[in-house]
Amino acid sequence: MNLKTVLILLVLALATIFALVCVLLTRGVKPASCEQQSLSSQEGKHSDQSLVFADLTPEEMVQVVRYLQRSLGVPLVDAYNANPSDNCIYYVDVQIPTKAKVLGFLDRGGRRPPRQALAVVYFGNQSDPNVTEYVVGPLPKPTTHQDITVQKYGGKLPYHRRPVLGKEYEQIEIFLRRETFSAAPTFLNRVFDCNGTNFVSLTSAPRGFQSGDRNTWFALFHNVSGYFLHPVGLEVLVDHSSLNVSQWRVRKVFYNGQYYKDLVQLESEFQQGRVKVNPVTRAPPDGGFSSMQPRAPPRAPFPLQYEPHGPRYSVQNNQVISQAWNFAFGVNVNTGIRLFDIRFKGERIVYEISVQDAISVYGSNCPGGMSTRYMDGSFGIGRFMYPLVRGVDCPYSATYVDTHYLVETETPETHKNSICIFEQNSGSPLRRHYSNLQSLYYGGLTNSALVLRSIATLGNYDYVWDFIFYQNGAIEAKVQATGYMTSSFLYGDGLDYGNRVGDHTLGTVHTHSINYKVDLDVGGVNNTVVAHDMAFESVQAPWSPEHQIQRPRLTKAVLDTEDKAAFRLHSNMPRYIYFAANSENKWGHQRGYRIQIVSFTGEHLPETSLMERAISWGRYKLAVTKRKEEEPTSSSIYNQNDPWTPTVAFADFINNETIVNEDLVAWITTGFLHIPHAEDIPNTVTVGNGVSIFLRPYNYYDIDPSIYSPDGVFFTSEQDSSVCEVNHIACLSKSASCLPILPPFTYDGFQNLTRL
C-alpha cells in the first residue's frame, strides 16, 4: 500500500470508532447523572387530576353508543351508511364539567366531577326531524341521558341545520354522475372528452339564501392529484333539502359565465351552437403543475434537532410537564386542540385556551366561489387532524400522541401520531447583552420553547396549530396556513377577483379569520381589564422654559364594561391591554397578563349581510365578556347550514355588563388576507402566512422569571469562557457530540380516512 491509501484507511477506521462511540452513548451508556438531571429538573409531577379534562377513550365511546342504542327507543343506523331520513349518532365527545366543579376538585379538595359524554343525534326518521344533544353518564358505564338541547340553545335544533354527512356527499356524487351528467352526453364528450366520471366536485357553503335552504353549488374539477387547481368551468346547483334522495333536483347549471336551467338545456343549446365553449385539456393523473412531487432529487440531509440527554419534558395521559410549565390537553372533534389548567412554576395562568372557529370568505365571478363562506368548525377541525410526518410536520424526535374520535360511525377511529410535543431551540436568544462599557461581560439565554402542535387538513387547506410556551412565562397560540388554494375557472372579469395561476385557473381572493377563547385566571379567578398606552404631551423644559419638549406619557384606563372592552376589527385599540389581578408585585403594580395580537386580517363580512350574525365574532379583534357556562363557545357547528338564523350569535354576548373583578373571558380574532399568486403553486407556504396571539406577563413577576432558567449563560472578561464550570455551553463538545439513534420512519395517515 502507498501512504495515501494507508491514510485513507486510518481515517475510515477512526470514523467507524467514533460512530460506534456515538451509538453506545445514545443507547444509554451515558453518565447516570445525565438521565437523573433530566428527570429532576422537572419542577412538577404528573397527577391524575388532569384526567378531569381528558378526551373519551375508545372504550368509553363504545359504551356510550351501546347505551344510546338501548335507551333512545328508536332504531339507530350507523351514520356511515345513514340516509337523511334515518336516525343516527353524529358524534360522541367528552362533556367537560363546569368550571366551578373542576376548580372545587383541583383547588379545594372537592369530589372529582362525574365523567360524562356529549352525544349529538340526528333524528331524521320521525314526523318532526331534528338534531338533539344529550349528556350521557356517568362513565365508564352510563345509566342516564339528559336532553340539553333547549337548555343549551333556547329551543330545538331544526334538522336543516345539521352538518352534511359523508354519506350525503357520496349520494350527491352518485346523483350527479347517474342522473345529471347523463343529460348532456354530447356536451361532456366534445368539451371535456369524458362522460363526467372523471370529475370530482367541491362543495360550497352555506347552502342557499334563507333558513331551510339546502341548495349547494358544486364546482367540478378534473379528478387528478391537486384537483383544486383544475376547474373545468362547470358548476351545478343541487337542491338536496328533501329527506327523500329520489326527490333531489338540479336547480341551476353554470358553464363558462352562463347560467342554464339544467344540463338538459345546456345540452340542447350546445347542440344548437349557442354555447360559448372554452375547452380544457385533460390534466395528467399526477396533476402536472399541481403535483407535489419534488422537482429535484434529495441530497445532503437537512438540519436535525435533538435533545442530548433526552426530552426535558414528560407526557403522561393528557398532561405535559416541563421544567416550568404544565398543562392538560385535549381535542374537540369540531374545533381541535384545547388546553386547560395551564400553570407556570406551579401557578395557574390560564384555565382554558381553545380554538373556536376558522372562517374563509371567498370572492369569485363563479357561483360556487362567490357564495362560499366556510366555517371550518362545522366540517370538524379536530376530526381532520391526521398523522404527522416525522421530520417535516414536527421534529423527527418529537413525542407523538394518538387521538381518538367517534364521528359519523359507531366504531371509534384512531389517528396515530396526530399531536406532537417537542422542545424547540429557535436558534436565537430569548434575551442577551454584550457589555463593552465599564464592566466587560456577556449574558444570554437561548430561546428554547415547549411546543404542542397539530395539523388539520380540511379539504384543500392545511392548518398548523401551535401552542408555544416560553421560558419567560409567555404563551403563544399560533396558526399557519398551507395546502392548496381553492380556485375558480378563469373567464371574463375573473382578474377582478384574483390572479391567474394556470391556463384556466383563477386563484381567488379570500380571507382567513380564526377565533380563540382565552379564559385567563391571573392571580385568581376574578380579574379586571386595564388598558395602557401612550400619548405625547408638550411641556416647557424645566431648565429652559423658553423651549418646548414633546414627551411620551403613559395613559391608563380601566375597561369596566363589556362594551368598552369590545374592539372592532380595524379600530384603534390600546396597545397594552391586560387582565389585572387583585394583588400587586413587589413594586406596587397590579399583577397582570397582557394580550398581544399579531394579525393582518382582511375585511369582515359587512353587517348588512343576512348571514353575518353567524360569524359576528369576526367583528372584533378583541372582546372581553363575563364568563358564563351558558356562553361556552363563540360559534356553533349548526351556523354553517343556517347562518340566517344562527344557533349561536356571538354579538349577543356583549351586553354592557360590568366586568370589574369578575371571572372574564377574552375572545380574540386573528387572521390574514390571502390573494393567491403564482408562488402559491402547487401549495401555499407557511412563511408569511402565520398569525398568533401572545399572553405575556405584565408586572406579574418582580423580575423576568427566565433569569432562573438553568440554560442561562454568563461570563466576564476575567473568566475563561472555554471552561465548563464557567460556561456550560463549552461542554457541548463532550455532552452533545453524537447524534441519537432515530426511530424508524412509519406513517399511518392513509388508514381510517374520514370523508369530507
Side-chain angles (χ1 to χ4, degrees):
M1 291 186 208
N2 58 33
L3 181 60
K4 182 177 180 181
T5 303
V6 171
L7 288 174
I8 291 173
L9 291 175
L10 181 60
V11 169
L12 290 174
L14 288 172
T16 302
I17 294 170
F18 181 73
L20 288 172
V21 171
C22 287
V23 169
L24 290 173
L25 286 173
T26 54
R27 285 183 174 173
V29 186
K30 301 178 183 177
S33 59
C34 291
E35 295 298 335
Q36 292 170 1
Q37 179 183 356
S38 175
L39 293 173
S40 64
S41 65
Q42 296 172 8
E43 297 191 357
K45 294 183 179 180
H46 286 286
S47 166
D48 64 1
Q49 284 190 326
S50 68
L51 295 176
V52 72
F53 303 110
D55 294 338
L56 297 181
T57 65
E59 294 76 16
E60 289 174 324
M61 296 174 185
V62 169
Q63 290 299 323
V64 171
V65 169
R66 290 176 179 172
Y67 170 81
L68 292 173
Q69 290 171 333
R70 294 193 309 265
S71 305
L72 291 183
V74 296
L76 293 174
V77 175
D78 189 331
Y80 191 86
N81 298 309
N83 292 309
S85 57
D86 289 328
N87 305 323
C88 66
I89 299 171
Y90 176 44
Y91 76 83
V92 175
D93 203 351
V94 68
Q95 175 77 1
I96 301 293
T98 65
K99 184 176 181 180
K101 290 182 179 178
V102 170
L103 293 185
F105 168 63
L106 294 180
D107 299 346
R108 296 185 289 276
R111 179 179 300 179
R112 181 186 292 271
R115 190 154 163 79
Q116 297 176 314
L118 175 69
V120 177
V121 182
Y122 289 3
F123 288 104
N125 186 14
Q126 60 183 40
S127 58
D128 178 27
N130 65 80
V131 180
T132 303
E133 295 194 359
Y134 296 102
V135 170
V136 182
L139 300 178
K141 296 183 179 180
T143 57
T144 62
H145 63 282
Q146 178 187 359
D147 182 347
I148 62 167
T149 313
V150 174
Q151 171 191 338
K152 187 174 179 180
Y153 300 112
K156 290 186 176 181
L157 288 170
Y159 200 53
H160 65 262
R161 294 184 189 175
R162 73 194 186 279
V164 177
L165 296 178
K167 180 65 175 180
E168 188 172 349
Y169 283 124
E170 285 186 2
Q171 291 170 322
I172 292 169
E173 289 282 349
I174 293 171
F175 169 76
L176 289 173
R177 291 178 182 177
R178 292 182 181 176
E179 301 184 30
T180 304
F181 295 150
S182 61
T186 306
F187 168 76
L188 292 175
N189 182 262
R190 293 186 183 176
V191 176
F192 302 113
D193 188 26
C194 71
N195 59 7
T197 57
N198 66 334
F199 289 157
V200 62
S201 65
L202 183 65
T203 184
S204 63
R207 309 177 190 280
F209 291 102
Q210 61 187 1
S211 293
D213 283 354
R214 207 170 178 85
N215 302 323
T216 305
W217 277 104
F218 288 92
L220 300 176
F221 299 78
H222 280 303
N223 189 11
V224 297
S225 179
Y227 68 85
F228 308 102
L229 302 179
H230 295 277
V232 300
L234 182 63
E235 302 185 12
V236 181
L237 180 62
V238 178
D239 178 353
H240 52 117
S241 56
S242 174
L243 303 191
N244 185 344
V245 175
S246 66
Q247 295 180 9
W248 289 356
R249 295 291 182 266
V250 170
R251 296 301 181 191
K252 218 65 151 179
V253 170
F254 169 87
Y255 173 69
N256 195 25
Q258 298 296 315
Y259 290 86
Y260 304 89
K261 178 182 177 182
D262 51 28
L263 264 81
V264 173
Q265 182 190 8
L266 175 58
E267 173 82 350
S268 174
E269 296 201 12
F270 175 76
Q271 292 184 359
Q272 297 174 53
R274 296 206 296 259
V275 175
K276 183 180 179 181
V277 173
N278 196 340
V280 178
T281 303
R282 184 183 296 189
D286 70 354
F289 75 97
S290 66
S291 171
M292 290 186 66
Q293 180 71 31
R295 292 357 180 225
R299 295 181 181 177
F302 46 78
L304 293 175
Q305 180 174 309
Y306 73 104
E307 297 111 337
H309 293 167
R312 303 193 300 179
Y313 62 88
S314 176
V315 182
Q316 183 175 303
N317 297 321
N318 67 323
Q319 187 180 47
V320 179
I321 291 180
S322 71
Q323 294 177 350
W325 293 96
N326 66 79
F327 56 85
F329 66 92
V331 179
N332 178 279
V333 296
N334 302 312
T335 58
I337 291 288
R338 53 189 177 186
L339 306 182
F340 293 98
D341 196 23
I342 302 173
R343 303 184 186 218
F344 183 71
K345 302 287 187 179
E347 188 169 4
R348 182 181 300 117
I349 304 297
V350 179
Y351 178 76
E352 176 190 357
I353 181 169
S354 56
V355 178
Q356 296 296 290
D357 210 344
I359 61 172
S360 298
V361 177
Y362 281 81
S364 176
N365 59 348
C366 296
M370 74 173 72
S371 61
T372 291
R373 287 92 177 90
Y374 286 136
M375 305 176 198
D376 289 335
S378 176
F379 294 93
I381 298 171
R383 65 186 289 206
F384 292 118
M385 289 167 38
Y386 291 112
L388 300 164
V389 173
R390 287 183 183 271
V392 180
D393 296 333
C394 304
Y396 200 99
S397 58
T399 299
Y400 292 84
V401 178
D402 301 342
T403 52
H404 310 283
Y405 308 91
L406 194 147
V407 188
E408 296 191 36
T409 178
E410 294 178 350
T411 305
E413 296 180 354
T414 296
H415 289 177
K416 296 184 70 64
N417 300 344
S418 49
I419 295 174
C420 68
I421 299 113
F422 56 94
E423 189 177 3
Q424 178 173 270
N425 186 331
S426 69
S428 62
L430 179 65
R431 52 172 175 78
R432 60 96 69 188
H433 181 63
Y434 164 75
S435 176
N436 63 350
L437 299 174
Q438 306 301 324
S439 55
L440 304 178
Y441 63 86
Y442 172 86
L445 175 65
T446 184
N447 187 10
S448 292
L450 182 68
V451 182
L452 183 143
R453 173 176 296 164
S454 66
I455 302 179
T457 300
L458 290 109
N460 57 304
Y461 260 111
D462 298 64
Y463 292 99
V464 182
W465 304 96
D466 282 356
F467 293 90
I468 307 171
F469 302 88
Y470 295 95
Q471 296 188 72
N472 68 327
I475 303 169
E476 180 183 7
K478 181 178 182 180
V479 57
Q480 301 172 90
T482 179
Y484 285 99
M485 68 173 81
T486 295
S487 65
S488 288
F489 189 78
L490 178 60
Y491 81 94
D493 62 351
L495 294 180
D496 289 342
Y497 305 96
N499 287 314
R500 182 179 183 178
V501 294
D503 289 341
H504 302 280
T505 306
L506 177 70
T508 50
V509 59
H510 57 279
T511 64
H512 291 275
S513 297
I514 298 95
N515 191 242
Y516 288 91
K517 176 183 181 180
V518 181
D519 183 356
L520 279 158
D521 283 354
V522 182
V525 171
N526 294 337
N527 296 136
T528 300
V529 185
V530 180
H532 285 182
D533 211 321
M534 60 154 283
F536 277 100
E537 63 177 6
S538 296
V539 297
Q540 291 180 326
W543 64 93
S544 184
E546 67 273 19
H547 294 100
Q548 292 278 321
I549 289 180
Q550 287 71 41
R551 64 182 179 187
R553 182 186 184 94
L554 186 63
T555 63
K556 304 177 182 180
V558 174
L559 308 180
D560 56 359
T561 66
E562 290 180 338
D563 286 10
K564 291 180 182 178
F567 296 93
R568 292 283 178 152
L569 189 61
H570 295 296
S571 66
N572 291 328
M573 184 176 82
R575 279 157 281 209
Y576 278 64
I577 288 184
Y578 65 97
F579 276 32
N582 291 314
S583 56
E584 297 179 347
N585 71 358
K586 179 180 178 180
W587 315 113
H589 297 293
Q590 278 186 292
R591 302 169 69 209
Y593 254 77
R594 175 191 173 198
I595 296 169
Q596 184 176 348
I597 306 171
V598 179
S599 177
F600 46 101
T601 52
E603 299 300 318
H604 178 60
L605 190 68
E607 291 179 37
T608 53
S609 168
L610 296 179
M611 66 179 68
E612 186 276 338
R613 276 177 50 78
I615 55 174
S616 54
W617 53 262
R619 298 178 189 176
Y620 307 96
K621 66 179 81 174
L622 170 67
V624 180
T625 64
K626 185 183 296 186
R627 188 189 188 282
K628 298 177 182 178
E629 289 293 342
E630 57 269 28
E631 294 176 351
T633 59
S634 62
S635 187
S636 168
I637 62 172
Y638 310 111
N639 283 7
Q640 176 73 89
N641 291 336
D642 189 2
W644 309 281
T645 310
T647 302
V648 174
F650 174 75
D652 294 341
F653 291 13
I654 303 170
N655 53 11
N656 213 29
E657 289 187 77
T658 299
I659 53 173
V660 174
N661 196 27
E662 297 283 356
D663 190 2
L664 305 177
V665 172
W667 310 88
I668 306 171
T669 298
T670 187
F672 57 94
L673 171 67
H674 188 193
I675 303 176
H677 45 87
E679 292 79 11
D680 285 310
I681 302 299
N683 273 182
T684 296
V685 298
T686 56
V687 175
N689 290 313
V691 291
S692 60
I693 61 174
F694 285 91
L695 307 175
R696 299 174 57 188
Y698 184 67
N699 288 321
Y700 189 85
Y701 302 101
D702 302 331
I703 192 173
D704 174 14
S706 75
I707 198 67
Y708 298 104
S709 169
D711 296 342
V713 172
F714 179 84
F715 49 82
T716 71
S717 61
E718 299 175 352
Q719 295 176 299
D720 183 354
S721 61
S722 65
V723 175
C724 294
E725 289 73 18
V726 172
N727 171 24
H728 64 85
I729 299 294
C731 294
L732 288 179
S733 61
K734 300 177 182 178
S735 62
S737 59
C738 299
L739 287 175
I741 297 177
L742 299 175
F745 183 90
T746 60
Y747 187 65
D748 300 294
F750 304 122
Q751 302 175 17
N752 299 323
L753 293 180
T754 305
R755 297 176 297 185
L756 176 61

